[in-house]
Structures are given as C-alpha cells and as structure tokens.
Amino acid sequence: MKITLSPYEMELVRKQLGREPNEAEWLTIDALWSEHCSYKSSKVFLKSFPSEGERVVMGIEDWQDAGALDIGDGWAIVLKLESHNHPSAIDPFNGAATGVGGIIRDIISKGARPIALLDMIRVGPLNNSRNRWLLKNIIAGIGFYGNSIGVPVVGGELDFDESYTDNPLVDVAGVGVVRKDKIIPSVIKEPGLKIIIVGLTGLDGLGGASFASRKLSGEDEIGAVQIADPFAGKIVLDVTLEVADKVEAIKDLGGGGLVVGITEMANGFGAIVNLDKVPLRVKDLRPEEILVSETQERMLFAVKDENVEKVCKAFEYYEYPCAVIGEFTKEPYIKFLYNGREVVSLPSDLLLSPPRFVWGAKKVREKRLNETKPEVGLEESVKAVVSRILSKEWAYSQFDYEVGTSTVLKPGEADSALISLPNGKLLAIKGDANPDLCAEDPYECGKSIVAEAYRNLASVGAIGIGVVDHLQFGDPRKPDVYYSFVEAIRGIAEASKFFQTPIVGGKVSFYNENKEGKPIKPTPLIVMAGLVKDKFLRNSVVEDSYIVQVGFTRDEMRGSLFTKLFGVYGDVPKTRLNEDYLASQLIVDAINDEKVIFAKDINKGGLIGAIFSILVKGKGVELTLSSIPSDTDDWVPKLFSENSGRFIVLTNDPDYLMRKAKGIYISVVGKVTKNYGILEIDDKKINLDKEIENYYNYLNEVMS
Amino acid sequence: MKTAVIKYPGTTCEIDVYKALLEAGVNAEIVRYKDFDPDKFDAVILPGGFSFGDYLRAGSIAASTETMKKVKEMALEGKTVIGICNGFQILVESGLLKGALLPNLSLRFISKWVYLKVVRFDTPLTRGLNKNVIRMPIAHAEGRFYMDDIEEAKRLAVLLYSDENGNVDEKVNPNGSILNVASIANEEGNVIGMMPHPERASFKLTSPFGDTDGLLLFRGLK
C-alpha cells in the first residue's frame, strides 16, 4: 500500500513519538493524517464558515458525521454531502454506488431515517466514448444503490466540461429525519463502552482515504475502490434505526476504515481493539489490511455492556455479522491487537493532531489576447445557447424517485426538489455549482452559488434554512489552486451569513486533476435546504399569461454560457445579495397569494435559458427587448447575461408584483403564445422546433 | 378483512403500502417475513423492493422461502394475494402466477408515470371500479411480462399500458411487455400481480396530477 505522508510529516511523527513506527502504525498515521480525513490544508479557512443559528442542532464544530437542523415540532433534518470522485474515475459503477452508501450510513449514524438523495454529476463532453461509459455507469451505480435501498433520488445536476474528462465529479447529498431529542452522536462521551462492528471486512478499498488524497496516478488503483452491496446496506439501515435507542454512539466506517472510525469515535479517549475478532469476508487478511480496509456496509457502535446482546440479536434476525471487538478506555492510546500481539499502539493525541498547512496563494489570470465581444447573430446565438440546455429525464428515470411516497415535486419538474416531512411541513432542497464562473472569479462564484440556491428554493415557495458545502479543487500546494480555494470559501461564507443559512457540514476534495496534472475548474458546490412557508408552487405554463422579469439585467457576461460558446469577454457578474434576497421574498409572497403560476430563477443561458423552459412545455413566447430592465441597450447581455437576483414568472396579475416590489425592478417582458416552438424577439421569429426535440432526445440518443 | 404486508430483507415499499392501505380504510399490518402467520389474515400483499437484493433473478430467492409456502396456502384457500412490482416477480417465480418477468427492453431501470387500461373487473382490486383508465407510476428494471400462450395472456391480463384515452399500442409500452401487459391475475382472480405501484398514487400531495387512483384499487381490500 502506498503512503502519502511527506518526508516532513514522517519526521514530525518520529520526533513526537520518539521512535520509528512499524508498518501498521505508518498506515494508521497515513490514514488519519490524510487530507481526506484530517482537512489539514483546509481547516483554517473552513473555520470562517457561519456555523451557528437558531435552527442548528448539530454543526461542523461538533465534529460529527453529519449536521442537523431544527424543522419544528420536535423534528430535525440531517444533511450530508460527499463525493466519490477518485473511485468513480476508475470504476464508475462501484464508485458512484458506494458514494450513495456512504452518505446513507452517515445519516443513519445520527439515528435519522434517510428520506432523499440528490446527485450532482460532472463529466467530460459526451462526444468522447470514455466519458459516455463513465456517465452511463455513474448513473447506473447511483440507481443500483439508491433504488435497492429504497431512498428516492429527488434531484441533482448533470453537466459537462472538458476539465472533467479524466476526473469526473460524483457528488451525492443525503437528507434524513430524526426526532430532535433522539439524535445520536458519532463520538463517545465516556470510556468503558464496548465496541461493536457489524458487517464483513474484505480486501476492497484498501487505503482509500490515502488514495483520495493524491492525484490519480494512472497506475492500477482498482484495489482502492470499494464494492457496493446495497442489500447489505438495506439491512444495516433497517436494523441500525431499530437499535438506535440502545447505543451511545454510531459511526459509519468510511474513509480510512476501522482505524479512523475507532480513533475519531474515541474522541480523545483511548481504545483497545482485537483485530482477530473482526468478521472477515475472505480468510487470512493481514492485520494491516483489516486496519485500513474500507469495505462498505459496516458500522461501529459504542454500546453499554447491558445492551450488547440486544443490539447483536437484532442483526442476527437478518443473519448479519455482529461482533464485539474491544472497548473504549480512559487511557488515551489507540491500541490494535492481533492474536494477543500489539500491532498498533499510538497516542490518540498524535493521531488527532495532524500538522496544519496553509499553502501559498497566487492569483493567476489567464492571459487572453485581443479580448473583444464576439460577433454573433441573434438567431445563431439563441439556437446555440438553448441547444446546450437538456432534459435530464434519461438520468432521473433510472432512479426510483417515488419510493417513500414523499416526493411532492418530481425531478425535473421545478428548480428545486420538494419532499414532505413527518411533521407535515415541506422541505425544498437544491444543489448548485458554477465552475465556469468559478474559473473566472472564485469569490464571486462562491457568493453566486449560495444566492442561486436561495432563489431556487424561493421559486417553489421555500426559504433557505441551512447549507452543506463541498469544495472540489486540484492540488492545494499549487498557489493558483489554493488561491481559488481560499476565495471560494470567502464568497460562500459571506453569502451564507447574509442569508442566515448556516453551514452545518461539508467536505473538501483536493487533487482533482487530469493526467497532465491540469486541475479541474474550481468546483465548489453547495446544497441548500429550506422550508415551504405555507403554500408551494407547482409550475404550469398557460397561454396568454404575462412573462414578468423580476430583477435587473446587467452587462456582465464573463463566465456565462454565451461566452463559453463564443469567446470570453466582459465583466464578471457581481452578486448583489440584497437583490437576491428581495426578489426571493417577493416570489415566496406571490406564491402564497397565488399570484404566479410559474417561477424560475435566471441562471445558465440567461433570460433565454429561462424562457426556453416555457417553450419546451409546448407553447410559444413573445419578448420585447426594450422592456427588459437593464443597464445596457445591447441585446446580448439582455438575453444572455447570467447576473444574479433575477426570476422569470408567469402571472395573470403583473400589477400585484409591481405593487409589492421593494427595491427591485419588475417588468412585463413578454407573453406566452400558442405558437408551439416559436420565440418572437421584437419582430424576429425564431423557430426552435429542432432545439426542443434536441432538449428531449439528446441524452437518450447519445447514451443508447 | 385483515391484510398482511410482508417485509422481506431488501423490501423497500412496505411502509408506503401500509400508509396507502390505512388511507383506503383497510385494516393492515406490516409483518416481517419470518414472523408471518397466515391464519391471522384474510389477504396478503407482497410489496415492492429488492428482496434479498435481487442478486439472482428478481424475486427468485424470496420465492423459495418458508414465507411463500404460507402465502401459497392462503391462495389455495381463496384468500386474496397481491404482489406489487418485486412482489409480482416473487409471485411469478413461485409459480402462483403464470408467465415471466424479463429485463426491460431498454435494459435499464425505468421510473415514470403511466396510464393503465383496466381489462378485467373480476378481481378484488378492480371489482366495482367505475373508471377504465387509471394512472400511477412504474419503477422497475425487470418488468417485461412474457408468456408463450398469447390467448391465455389476453385472458389473464388485468391492466394494460395505454394512453390517456385507453388506446393500447407499442408507443406507450414502457418495457416491451407482450400485449402491453402491466398486471395479470390467476384464473380465479384472487391472486394478482402488478408492476405499477398503486401506493404511490394514493396521496393527493405527492400525485403530480392530483389523482389518487391507487386508493380505488386498495378499497377492494376493505
């Protein structure tokens, strides 16, 4: 197995310990000090996230497997977001499937019942057969696990960019529900508890945390990928929730395997574990392998003596392995024994205190010569932009999105998913990222993705209550990569603070690079959860209704889909958080007063991108350029700028919006017509028949 | 009538079916597969999911359990036996229903809302129905119904995939089933298997069109 510790770190270990660690101990330290488990290069900046709020029941600072937010009536939701990028690059089916499994186990380790999954997928362009193979297997893997375990995939994103060709991004978010007073910690608060492991340990996923903490080498790394077994996962889910009130702490065995699970759970106390008592899938595993194997579908429980039998009996009903392997001690040493021999004996303190790194950061602006506004015709640009907007039905029809009978708005139906909660409230949830903008200005991008998620929730009638984030970048030791990382965090922190949507959990994934060592576009991603105020909106498109733009269009074209297609120019869009806030409040009020029949925020593709979602519903649209409130007379930004703070709504009562508006522009910009597929801009008619067909069929055709 | 909803390891829809039965006013109970006592019940539902992971042919492991012997006894006594999705696969694998459920023609899992034409009204689920086109979702990877004897399939079929007007043709066939079959029953009509999920069309809030056609079927178990 490879070790990723640097010579400096190895020297640090020797100095602190006063001796040379043995092989098993090196593997232990390597796993715990891996970037994946220790956040050594990110912790300092992550601390700037707003993590407190009246709804926060369990936040980042509590060092738990997942964060929790109060949703009223004694209930809480548990939120978690993770990626499985490296494994998915090598074995996309198992990589994506185990990503789902890991998220679900993080949620049940809080004693919560998982009720929804979102998946956010980014791969290279589909004209490349390997990218198609990756996407096909990623979607199949998510479906395989999510469907079998009975948790609906209710939303997500699917996007394509050259920078993900070698290194796809596979992000999965999960939501669970739990009674607020029944949340279970992931760490112990007292020594003397017995350690129970359930599930079999195998040879797959050896050194996975360490593998995720370096760039892909191109060598055979399949052994670091874990194998997914959703049937076992389903038993673990059902029985864990059944025994939750009989355990003191629960931890998923994820990155770093047993050694990390035990050390983190001990939380500064110690542990003595007998590796020979761990139930194995294959005979004769070496103790070093048992230590760091990341085999899926395993959990750790910290249990009082008198409950040990009850817990294991519940697993035995389903013939699922359950074993007592040791106990937590007062002496702060992590000890692993094998046949009575001490294999690892290391101070908890050393393992839990990796060195912290703050790397150099440098702004590197790509030099573009002769940057000018591209010359493109109206019809050509409209057609090019809308043909990049695709129905994702090919993907979500492979997911059992109805299981649980709680999915109110189905995938693809609105800008945000909506699910019903056990207390009768409705939860909106949405993931957002914008790598094209992040590549131009990570700080503005960080603000923008939080604002976009806030608008997405508002468009169905919900107000954001909390965020989980995932920061995906290249090698942090590269100054330009680290610069974008620090800037993105600054933007996300600022916007989350502004919207009062505390960040209750997150994840950092570095070393996402292609084979030539070129990093992916910086891809911070957030998932926001919100609650419907009272009424929710189910979109409908009706002939003769007015199309109203809420918000102000600005000549800020950089990072947009238009400039991606035709050439970069212009200013970076600045997110004016207050405009997003005011516009979102107005939309939520209008939904509650039943004054809108359709609402969508303006993002990719600008106004035209939003209008296209009206056209694909079988209607036509008339737009008047002069009525679009804007700081420019140029039609390009009016139609394609992606600056934030804006919505498109359909209404029969535009006066209502004008009366209610505070500090934002409201303007009737057009009408819905009966002319299928015809977009009229002033006097120019553009027939979008073919583009609508492409919208519905492209993914099906290219992926079959 | 009292209805048992069986939970196998890997079953995912037992709570949904139970909730829908309550909504329809049916007296129901979720029973774990090893704890099932057929004498306590007048009807049994095998809900959807992935019994034993479906790592072999879907439903085949569950079909050979002790639990299914008890379900067979109930069927022979004329009690009502219903299999939904994976439950349908189990009924076919255990020989309680004829035919086979093959992988979808697209070779992938399909989740979508469909229209169904009701063609048999002599089963406990469809008796007294005053609609002949209903709507509910499907979600399966192995739902392509097949049978050698086409005439027999015609006779046994209960629901066919159709359009909103009840027209049955290949265009609206989601998985390649012969004759667009979505559900069949035995000759007597007391054992019914269906790929669509009525429990997912039993609640106004989560039904995209506001229909609750699933309840119309479940009311037959009152």
Side-chain angles (χ1 to χ4, degrees):
Chain A
M1 275 175 271
K2 270 191 183 162
I3 284 193
T4 51
L5 293 172
S6 68
Y8 165 77
E9 288 171 303
M10 293 175 84
E11 211 34 57
L12 210 63
V13 170
R14 290 184 190 108
K15 226 155 102 195
Q16 278 190 37
L17 206 56
R19 66 176 168 90
E20 179 74 22
N22 65 33
E23 188 202 342
E25 288 174 333
W26 274 129
L27 287 169
T28 302
I29 300 161
D30 187 49
L32 275 142
W33 284 20
S34 67
E35 192 65 62
H36 183 84
C37 295
S38 75
Y39 298 90
K40 58 189 170 192
S41 301
S42 56
K43 196 93 182 201
V44 169
F45 291 98
L46 296 177
K47 282 184 188 162
S48 70
F49 280 153
S51 58
E52 282 169 13
E54 54 186 40
R55 287 187 186 272
V56 177
V57 182
M58 190 174 269
I60 309 182
E61 296 306 319
D62 304 325
W63 198 241
Q64 302 288 354
D65 277 359
L69 288 162
D70 192 337
I71 50 164
D73 314 303
W75 286 90
I77 55 160
V78 168
L79 270 185
K80 177 80 178 181
L81 173 57
E82 273 226 39
S83 68
H84 257 211
N85 302 341
H86 276 51
S88 300
I90 301 203
D91 178 347
F93 184 88
N94 277 299
T98 52
V100 176
I103 282 286
I104 286 175
R105 287 194 307 278
D106 280 334
I107 287 168
I108 59 177
S109 69
K110 304 277 103 222
R113 173 172 296 281
I115 56 164
L117 294 164
L118 283 91
D119 64 285
M120 280 71 58
I121 311 297
R122 292 188 156 73
V123 294
L126 295 183
N127 54 13
N128 167 322
S129 66
R130 187 167 184 280
N131 291 338
R132 291 198 296 275
W133 172 79
L134 281 170
L135 179 61
K136 196 174 199 163
N137 283 286
I138 287 167
I139 298 295
I142 293 169
F144 169 68
Y145 205 103
N147 297 348
S148 305
I149 204 159
V151 182
V153 176
V154 297
E157 289 189 300
L158 175 54
D159 213 351
F160 310 98
D161 188 90
E162 196 59 65
S163 85
Y164 306 115
T165 288
D166 291 336
N167 198 318
L169 300 187
V170 178
D171 286 282
V172 185
V175 189
V177 284
V178 60
R179 298 290 310 182
K180 218 171 101 182
D181 56 354
K182 301 270 183 192
I183 296 181
I184 295 168
S186 310
V187 295
I188 59 158
K189 291 168 187 143
E190 51 172 340
L193 300 167
K194 288 279 182 290
I195 304 171
I196 291 182
I197 188 172
V198 300
L200 294 172
T201 298
L203 258 174
D204 56 321
L206 289 183
S210 161
F211 162 61
S213 305
R214 59 178 185 256
K215 68 182 199 123
L216 293 165
S217 68
E219 296 162 27
D220 185 9
E221 291 175 311
I222 193 80
V225 178
Q226 305 127 28
I227 299 165
D229 181 356
F231 173 54
K234 174 68 171 155
I235 291 172
V236 169
L237 184 154
D238 287 348
V239 184
T240 298
L241 295 182
E242 191 184 317
V243 301
D245 59 347
K246 297 180 189 70
V247 302
E248 308 309 307
I250 311 180
K251 197 156 178 52
D252 158 39
L253 282 173
L258 193 58
V259 75
V260 170
I262 298 270
T263 310
E264 287 185 357
M265 201 173 200
N267 191 27
F269 290 108
I272 296 184
V273 176
N274 296 293
L275 288 170
D276 36 301
K277 296 219 170 114
V278 174
L280 301 182
R281 183 184 288 156
V282 276
K283 265 200 271 181
D284 302 329
L285 277 186
R286 293 165 54 218
E288 292 81 7
E289 292 168 332
I290 302 173
L291 268 180
V292 295
S293 162
E294 294 182 8
T295 306
Q296 297 284 293
E297 333 305 349
R298 301 180 303 159
M299 300 289 278
L300 278 181
F301 299 97
V303 184
K304 285 187 177 150
D305 266 336
E306 64 260 34
N307 286 326
V308 165
E309 205 186 310
K310 288 176 213 153
V311 169
C312 276
K313 229 182 154 116
F315 281 94
E316 280 157 17
Y317 182 91
Y318 292 102
E319 287 140 41
Y320 204 75
C322 181
V324 179
I325 56 170
E327 73 174 44
F328 290 108
T329 60
K330 203 170 168 201
E331 193 201 8
Y333 264 79
I334 302 296
K335 292 184 178 178
F336 286 92
L337 313 179
Y338 189 73
N339 291 335
R341 179 173 61 90
E342 207 168 81
V343 188
V344 171
S345 175
L346 294 166
S348 302
D349 184 43
L350 170 91
L351 294 173
L352 291 174
S353 321
R356 295 257 178 273
F357 297 106
V358 171
W359 303 102
K362 285 238 160 55
K363 180 174 176 173
V364 181
R365 174 56 67 99
E366 215 179 296
K367 276 207 186 93
R368 292 194 186 88
L369 293 169
N370 304 324
E371 191 179 276
T372 51
K373 186 185 157 196
E375 288 295 320
V376 211
L378 177 68
E379 180 158 346
E380 186 195 347
S381 50
V382 166
K383 286 189 168 174
V385 163
V386 300
S387 35
R388 296 296 284 265
I389 298 172
L390 302 171
S391 161
K392 311 297 183 337
E393 199 196 349
W394 170 82
Y396 62 70
S397 67
Q398 298 187 51
F399 305 142
D400 191 4
Y401 55 80
E402 300 276 8
V403 67
T405 54
S406 58
T407 314
V408 177
L409 294 177
K410 317 299 176 188
E413 198 178 342
D415 278 353
S416 164
L418 202 60
I419 40 181
S420 64
L421 295 169
N423 63 354
K425 292 191 174 148
L426 297 177
L427 183 82
I429 183 146
K430 178 69 167 76
D432 278 302
N434 191 345
D436 294 329
L437 179 56
C438 283
E440 299 293 340
D441 188 329
Y443 163 69
E444 285 299 337
C445 172
K447 280 199 304 184
S448 156
I449 57 175
V450 178
E452 183 179 347
Y454 196 80
R455 294 195 309 272
N456 287 150
L457 300 194
S459 73
V460 299
I463 294 172
I465 60 168
V467 163
V468 283
D469 72 299
H470 188 206
L471 307 165
Q472 303 171 99
F473 293 84
D475 184 342
R477 294 165 301 185
K478 293 181 179 167
D480 55 331
V481 170
Y482 208 61
Y483 172 79
S484 61
F485 170 74
V486 172
E487 287 290 284
I489 287 187
R490 190 162 70 87
I492 293 171
E494 198 173 311
S496 308
K497 211 169 266 176
F498 179 87
F499 292 116
Q500 293 181 302
T501 49
I503 296 175
V504 294
K507 181 85 200 162
V508 178
S509 166
F510 284 129
Y511 303 99
N512 293 292
E513 300 191 340
N514 73 6
K515 293 208 176 80
E516 284 82 50
K518 191 166 182 253
I520 57 162
K521 282 186 180 165
T523 314
L525 188 154
I526 67 131
V527 167
M528 189 182 283
L531 290 171
V532 167
K533 206 173 159 192
D534 185 16
K535 291 179 185 150
F536 74 96
L537 177 66
R538 197 184 284 280
N539 276 340
S540 59
V541 173
V542 176
E543 216 174 289
D544 288 335
S545 46
Y546 296 99
I547 303 174
V548 174
Q549 177 176 315
V550 173
F552 192 61
T553 302
R554 291 186 169 89
D555 188 0
E556 296 173 329
M557 291 300 294
R558 192 170 286 271
S560 65
L561 179 52
F562 179 90
T563 60
K564 184 175 186 165
L565 294 172
F566 299 113
V568 177
Y569 82 99
D571 293 339
V572 168
K574 305 259 188 308
T575 299
R576 285 89 178 168
L577 297 171
N578 198 44
E579 292 183 357
D580 292 280
Y581 178 76
L582 293 171
S584 298
Q585 299 298 317
L586 177 64
I587 298 295
V588 171
D589 285 346
I591 290 170
N592 278 285
D593 289 342
E594 298 185 1
K595 294 295 185 185
V596 296
I597 58 167
F598 178 99
K600 181 171 184 6
D601 90 304
I602 295 179
N603 51 62
K604 270 293 142 198
L607 177 64
I608 288 296
I611 293 290
F612 191 56
S613 56
I614 298 172
L615 286 154
V616 299
K617 295 279 189 269
K619 301 288 178 211
V621 163
E622 278 173 18
L623 285 182
T624 314
L625 276 174
S626 59
S627 63
I628 298 168
S630 171
D631 62 3
T632 170
D633 290 329
D634 183 354
W635 60 268
V636 172
K638 278 189 173 188
L639 296 181
F640 299 111
S641 168
E642 296 175 7
N643 74 276
S644 80
R646 295 178 299 156
F647 289 86
I648 277 294
V649 300
L650 298 185
T651 177
N652 295 317
D653 188 358
D655 289 344
Y656 166 92
L657 294 165
M658 292 183 195
R659 272 200 318 276
K660 282 267 188 173
K662 287 181 222 162
I664 42 172
Y665 285 83
I666 304 288
S667 177
V668 175
V669 297
K671 256 194 142 174
V672 178
T673 70
K674 62 170 186 287
N675 304 326
Y676 173 81
I678 305 289
L679 171 62
E680 267 182 84
I681 301 176
D682 293 342
D683 294 332
K684 176 111 177 137
K685 279 190 190 174
I686 304 174
N687 186 338
L688 295 174
D689 267 13
K690 280 208 183 76
E691 286 71 22
I692 294 170
E693 206 173 293
N694 178 70
Y695 170 81
Y696 284 112
N697 297 336
Y698 176 79
L699 277 180
N700 261 324
E701 277 167 14
V702 76
M703 294 306 296
S704 62
Chain B
M1 283 218 294
K2 180 145 196 199
T3 301
V5 181
I6 303 281
K7 176 172 175 58
Y8 275 110
T11 296
T12 57
C13 302
E14 76 279 7
I15 298 172
D16 298 348
V17 169
Y18 174 74
K19 281 193 324 198
L21 289 170
L22 292 194
E23 184 82 7
V26 177
N27 181 5
E29 191 184 315
I30 297 174
V31 186
R32 295 198 295 180
Y33 78 121
K34 286 183 192 168
D35 311 340
F36 178 48
D37 177 358
D39 294 336
K40 287 189 184 159
F41 299 95
D42 310 292
V44 58
I45 297 185
L46 306 172
F50 293 74
S51 55
F52 296 96
D54 280 350
Y55 289 163
L56 297 178
R57 218 168 43 235
S60 62
I61 302 178
S64 60
T65 53
E66 285 297 311
T67 314
M68 274 314 288
K69 286 187 188 152
K70 299 172 189 168
V71 171
K72 274 184 194 169
E73 282 168 28
M74 288 180 73
L76 286 175
E77 288 167 26
K79 291 178 177 176
T80 302
V81 175
I82 294 160
I84 300 167
C85 201
N86 190 235
F88 187 9
Q89 293 162 340
I90 297 170
L91 289 178
V92 168
E93 286 290 333
S94 66
L96 268 173
L97 287 174
K98 290 186 177 170
L101 290 161
L102 307 176
N104 299 341
L105 270 188
S106 63
L107 297 180
R108 59 179 184 84
F109 192 92
I110 299 171
S111 193
K112 67 186 282 195
W113 281 70
V114 296
Y115 289 98
L116 300 160
K117 184 180 182 184
V118 187
V119 291
R120 245 179 103 176
F121 290 86
D122 66 335
T123 76
L125 293 186
T126 51
R127 204 171 289 147
L129 252 188
N130 54 12
K131 261 169 124 172
N132 61 6
V133 179
I134 55 178
R135 176 146 66 161
M136 55 191 59
I138 55 166
H140 57 249
E142 293 167 60
R144 173 159 61 105
F145 184 75
Y146 180 76
M147 210 165 164
D148 277 337
D149 186 338
I150 290 195
E151 285 310 308
E152 190 175 18
K154 244 181 214 166
R155 213 171 58 238
L156 296 179
V158 179
L159 303 171
L160 307 178
Y161 299 110
S162 75
D163 68 12
E164 57 185 308
N165 300 315
N167 299 313
V168 177
D169 68 40
E170 218 19 69
K171 276 197 303 232
V172 291
N173 188 338
N175 54 20
S177 286
I178 54 160
L179 304 168
N180 285 31
V181 169
S183 162
I184 63 154
N186 59 355
E187 300 278 356
E188 296 77 14
N190 68 317
V191 180
I192 308 125
M194 59 190 301
M195 288 317 294
H197 286 268
E199 76 277 13
R200 297 176 181 186
S202 292
F203 307 96
K204 251 195 155 56
L205 180 65
T206 50
S207 172
F209 320 100
D211 305 339
T212 52
D213 290 351
L215 291 181
L216 299 177
L217 301 187
F218 285 138
R219 264 174 211 145
L221 297 173
K222 269 214 278 205

